[in-house]
Amino acid sequence: QSNKQEPKMSVLVIGADEITPIKAVLKDLGAEAVEHWDARNENRVNRKPIPQDTECVVMLTSFLNHNTMKTIKNQAKKRNIPIVCAKRSVSCVFSEYCKVFGLDKEFGCCKVKD
């Protein structure tokens, strides 16, 4: 019997004002902690480092400009943090998250054909 706990998945969501339904979906998919930056103040987001315990970044692309996305992507890449890019719909976040983490079989996520 081991006392080793499963790591708690910590997700940073960037973009949009209201993400309650998205938070619920992320928790269903295994996220323990969901931090949200609305990205209204672009300068603050671009200067703020991704929190140390973040294991995934979800960018809601409908609400982010290119500079902000580029800054966040570069930070995440340097630390090998997976990035999920999605529009602000729950179904889009769900299917993109599943693709990034290979959860298609486990959660029955739809495969989007190119």
Side-chain angles (χ1 to χ4, degrees), residues 18-49:
E18 174 51 51
I19 65 157
T20 303
I22 290 169
K23 264 187 186 176
V25 166
L26 291 171
K27 291 202 182 241
D28 286 347
L29 291 169
E32 294 281 334
V34 179
E35 185 171 344
H36 176 231
W37 295 353
D38 65 18
R40 279 193 180 270
N41 184 333
E42 178 191 334
N43 289 333
R44 196 170 64 222
V45 170
N46 286 341
R47 276 189 250 133
K48 211 171 171 183

Side-chain angles (χ1 to χ4, degrees), residues 64-78:
L64 298 173
N65 66 40
H66 290 279
N67 288 340
T68 301
M69 286 195 275
K70 192 174 173 184
T71 302
I72 298 298
K73 269 186 179 172
N74 288 339
Q75 278 190 52
K77 271 189 178 150
K78 280 181 190 154

Side-chain angles (χ1 to χ4, degrees), residues 52-67:
Q52 214 42 56
D53 61 345
T54 302
E55 295 159 281
C56 173
V57 174
V58 175
M59 291 199 288
L60 302 174
T61 57
S62 313
F63 295 86
L64 298 173
N65 66 40
H66 290 279
N67 288 340

